[in-house]
Amino acid sequence: MCILARYHLFPSSLVLLILLAACTMGCIQSIACKPRIRRENIVVYEVSASIDQCPTIIEENSPIVLRYKTPYFRASAGVVMPPVPRNETWVVGWIQACTQMEFYNTYGDIGMSSWELPELREGRVKAISDSDGVSYPWYGNTTETVTLTGPTSKPSRLTVSMNDNFYPSVTWAVPISNSNTPMLTHITRDQSFITWLVAMNSVTKERIVLQTVRWRMRVDIAVDPDMPLGSRASLVGRPYQEQPHILNYQEPIPPNALGRPNANDAQVLMWRPRRGAPLVVIPPK
């Protein structure tokens, strides 16, 4: 039964106090309860993450470099966002960071070249942004994100997706040599990533992590430099990649995963001879 219907059971002064308190509480709630985007109001459905079930493709078309193309990592999710308040803009999309990288190209007993992320290798950071270098902190700005600008009067249903793979070139000859003689004997690559599905307020930068995916890509290629071009390299080890893990908990996003530099700009190509001091071949951008 409502308070007004029973007011005759209380002294008039008490009724007045109750009504004033109710009014005050209502005013406070009307301010504090301005519609807000909260995790519990966001629905995430049909989350998928996979790596194509095909082996890495080796290309020996060039007398200068060997190229290889790994299968694609693909992630997709449907999201239902609640109504967005006036003067707010929210972006929903994918953020990705590299958490570990080993990328070695061996040249017999002469030495090896390696692409390295110094801060990550030395443990100074836990992750480095894998943005496209333009759309920070997002992995990209096409299918990877959707922007919602308020006010919207009803929930918004959207889909965001991304894909990633490796397609590098490795010189047949020692990279610091003037010779074109093929000396490459092995390529090893092992790289790990965390990919987050995130809703972010564009003004306040409030972030809500909706889903976390971990994945890894490994490449192992043996090369016989004495063989003719087109028949030197072969894939060894496991032919197919381990499938990604969609976590049942949300990992926090390290600060370095959100801003510059991205992994491509931060990486350094080193030459590490069997004997002698290491040499920087290509510095970070």
Side-chain angles (χ1 to χ4, degrees):
M1 187 178 294
C2 69
I3 293 173
L4 291 177
R6 301 183 58 188
Y7 77 95
H8 60 278
L9 300 177
F10 298 96
S12 59
S13 58
L14 180 58
V15 171
L16 180 61
L17 284 173
I18 292 171
L19 289 173
L20 285 172
C23 254
T24 304
M25 288 294 292
C27 293
I28 291 173
Q29 288 178 355
S30 69
I31 295 171
C33 296
K34 175 186 176 182
R36 288 191 60 198
I37 305 294
R38 299 177 183 275
R39 176 61 186 93
E40 56 267 28
N41 298 331
I42 302 173
V43 177
V44 180
Y45 65 98
E46 294 181 354
V47 178
S48 65
S50 63
I51 296 177
D52 292 351
Q53 286 292 288
C54 59
T56 294
I57 298 170
I58 301 170
E59 298 179 359
E60 294 188 35
N61 304 320
S62 166
I64 307 300
V65 296
L66 173 152
R67 303 196 74 188
Y68 63 84
K69 186 175 185 179
T70 65
Y72 278 92
F73 163 77
R74 304 178 191 273
S76 178
V79 180
V80 178
M81 289 288 287
V84 176
R86 186 182 302 277
N87 299 325
E88 288 192 17
T89 297
W90 283 78
V91 181
V92 179
W94 296 100
I95 294 173
Q96 181 165 283
C98 176
T99 58
Q100 173 262 342
M101 182 171 80
E102 297 176 1
F103 185 178
Y104 305 121
N105 308 309
T106 304
Y107 294 83
D109 60 358
I110 302 170
M112 69 177 184
S113 66
S114 62
W115 285 101
E116 303 174 9
L117 296 167
E119 288 190 324
L120 196 62
R121 186 192 67 225
E122 295 164 10
R124 287 181 280 157
V125 299
K126 294 182 178 180
I128 290 180
S129 168
D130 197 37
S131 165
D132 61 3
V134 177
S135 309
Y136 293 100
W138 308 105
Y139 181 77
N141 63 0
T142 53
T143 63
E144 297 86 359
T145 60
V146 172
T147 300
L148 300 173
T149 301
T152 58
S153 60
K154 58 183 180 179
S156 301
R157 185 183 296 266
L158 54 96
T159 301
V160 286
S161 62
M162 62 163 287
N163 62 71
D164 190 14
N165 80 325
F166 308 151
Y167 192 22
S169 300
V170 181
T171 58
W172 293 111
V174 173
I176 62 166
S177 169
N178 293 323
S179 169
N180 290 325
T181 303
M183 300 294 290
L184 180 67
T185 55
H186 210 108
I187 297 172
T188 302
R189 186 166 185 171
D190 186 352
Q191 203 160 347
S192 299
F193 300 87
I194 304 180
T195 307
W196 295 271
L197 177 65
V198 178
M200 180 184 291
N201 186 308
S202 294
V203 177
T204 66
K205 304 305 179 185
E206 176 189 357
R207 294 186 303 276
I208 302 174
V209 177
L210 305 174
Q211 193 70 64
T212 306
V213 178
R214 280 186 171 270
W215 63 281
R216 182 179 185 182
M217 191 78 77
R218 286 181 280 186
V219 178
D220 195 0
I221 298 173
V223 182
D224 183 347
D226 296 326
M227 293 294 288
L229 183 66
S231 56
R232 293 173 183 164
S234 59
L235 200 63
V236 294
R238 56 187 302 160
Y240 303 107
Q241 302 294 324
E242 177 185 351
Q243 289 300 304
H245 300 281
I246 300 175
L247 305 186
N248 56 12
Y249 60 93
Q250 308 314 329
E251 293 199 11
I253 306 176
N256 287 80
L258 298 170
R260 298 178 185 277
N262 69 342
N264 285 341
D265 290 346
Q267 65 184 357
V268 178
L269 180 62
M270 298 292 298
W271 170 250
R272 297 187 176 278
R274 184 64 60 89
R275 290 174 290 276
L279 176 69
V280 176
V281 180
I282 301 177
K285 295 180 181 178

